[in-house]
Amino acid sequence: MEETSLLTPKCTLVPAHFYQQASSRDILGEVVVLDEGDVVKAVEMRQYDSVLVYAAPSEDTGAVPELWYVLRDLPGIQDYNKILASWKEGRLYLGIAQGNGLLLANSFEAPDFTTAEYYIFLALNQLQLNPEVSSIYWRHKISPEDEMSLYRYFRSVELL
């Protein structure tokens, strides 16, 4: 059964010792443009000693951001270089870790898969990770063509 996720770029990961619930809106407003109707929520991410602060369109939504699922599933990857992605509705959600250390948690506007690949390779380059010795994992199925495109660069392409 697929979880329902909130597909939003309006989220940020805050170290737990810096987070104060009363200032959630201000914290998120420093990194994204909030709409007047956005409801700011937060969920603890204990495995990273952090809090994911995000904007929801209304108070009653029980969904959490897609990035939360990426971060939740990232530690379950057994490789040393952990690369987990999700590409839904024109947005790439990407989590990268090395061992137990989180290196990147972000989302990028990617209207097509070529753009999603660009952001993946840009992040790997910035973090000095070699895709040839790494596997990339996906939370959702990608097309066979997109999978084959990634196989040219990665050791393997896996679906969680």
Side-chain angles (χ1 to χ4, degrees):
M1 180 177 143
E2 186 174 320
E3 299 116 340
T4 302
S5 59
L6 186 60
L7 302 177
T8 179
K10 296 180 181 182
C11 56
T12 190
L13 199 59
V14 179
H17 61 277
F18 289 135
Y19 176 72
Q20 294 179 357
Q21 184 176 359
S23 60
S24 292
R25 189 169 191 87
D26 293 335
I27 290 170
L28 189 57
E30 288 181 24
V31 295
V32 299
V33 176
L34 293 171
D35 296 328
E36 191 174 310
D38 284 339
V39 177
V40 177
K41 297 181 172 192
V43 61
E44 194 173 2
M45 306 276 325
R46 286 192 179 124
Q47 67 269 41
Y48 304 109
D49 194 25
S50 298
V51 177
L52 184 65
V53 182
Y54 64 97
S58 67
E59 189 68 50
D60 62 355
T61 181
V64 293
E66 179 65 18
L67 192 58
W68 182 88
Y69 291 103
V70 169
L71 291 171
R72 177 198 69 182
D73 295 344
L74 195 60
I77 296 173
Q78 299 302 308
D79 301 348
Y80 181 69
N81 290 341
K82 302 170 192 292
I83 305 164
L84 180 56
S86 175
W87 182 56
K88 295 182 84 172
E89 295 185 15
R91 183 154 289 276
L92 173 70
Y93 301 88
L94 184 62
I96 301 176
Q98 225 173 21
N100 293 327
L102 182 64
L103 301 176
L104 179 123
N106 209 343
S107 73
F108 305 90
E109 186 176 344
D112 54 63
F113 196 75
T114 301
T115 305
E117 285 180 309
Y118 168 81
Y119 283 116
I120 292 165
F121 293 120
L122 180 66
L124 293 175
N125 185 45
Q126 289 292 312
L127 296 170
Q128 298 181 352
L129 297 177
N130 184 354
E132 293 176 355
V133 298
S134 303
S135 297
I136 185 166
Y137 292 79
W138 291 87
R139 273 194 22 88
H140 304 284
K141 189 167 178 43
I142 57 174
S143 76
E145 296 82 19
D146 295 339
E147 188 175 337
M148 287 308 299
S149 176
L150 289 169
Y151 264 117
R152 291 184 295 185
Y153 305 100
F154 287 91
R155 182 182 70 203
S156 70
V157 180
E158 308 290 337
L159 179 65
L160 283 188

